[in-house]
Amino acid sequence: KNAKWKIVLMHKPIYDCGAGGNNTEDPAEGRTNYDIPVMRRQLAPLFTQYGVDLVVQGHDHLYSKSYPLVSYLDESGEVVSVATVTESVQKSYNGGTYDFYDDPKGTIYIDIGSPSGWKNFPPVSDYPKDLIDKAGQGTVMYTAVSIEGDNLFVHTYTLDGKFESVPYYAFGVTKTSEWEAPVDNNGKFPTWAIVLIVAGSVLVVGGSVGATLLILKSKNKKTAANTSSENASDGSESNL
């Protein structure tokens, strides 16, 4: 509850620009992703309720980044998600350039490409453009996430033919205050969440969907989260 930054790692996406995350026919599997709407309804309101800052997803093998979103259940029990902000401010930090959100009070969902050199896909045409900010063709990518005080840095790289890192897109979040769910969800927050206290961290595990909420403790010094970072940038230029 008192952690400065909250980051979720999960495989299947609930908000992105790909086939899987939009419950359409999955070209990799040849079947409908019927589980996505269920996961979205169960997880997205919880991410808002607990003030999750970033959700890192996979499965669709492309690049996708949402606006900061808040989610709640309407009177019929269906999930509703809206962007808290759609404009970012470009800032330079430690030699890099980032699209920054200042206290967005919402959850950003990203897909970070694929480590595979061959299994990559394009965005679908009907992804929700009011929720998704960036949509990119899948390619070999990796993403570095770093935290320094009130700032979260997310820098994605591709690899060239010599396996050298090439900056792809970078964004950041400045967080000076905590945020809470702006709505009461009509009393419909899922009740299946199980909270476990493990080694000082909080894990929220929901049934068989396999989402894990990683609560990162606030530190005064720079902390690496997800993967080790090179202070997040060395002159980033977006290819989007």
Side-chain angles (χ1 to χ4, degrees), residues 5 20 27 110 134 136 179 184 190 192 195 199 218 223-224 232 235-236:
W5 295 97
I110 63 170
K134 302 294 182 185
W179 60 280
D184 64 6
W192 47 261
V195 180
S218 175
T223 304
S236 158

Side-chain angles (χ1 to χ4, degrees), residues 15 67-72 80-85 130-131:
Y15 289 110
Y67 296 110
L69 305 180
V70 292
S71 303
Y72 61 94
V80 177
S81 294
V82 295
T84 62
V85 61
D130 58 329
L131 304 180

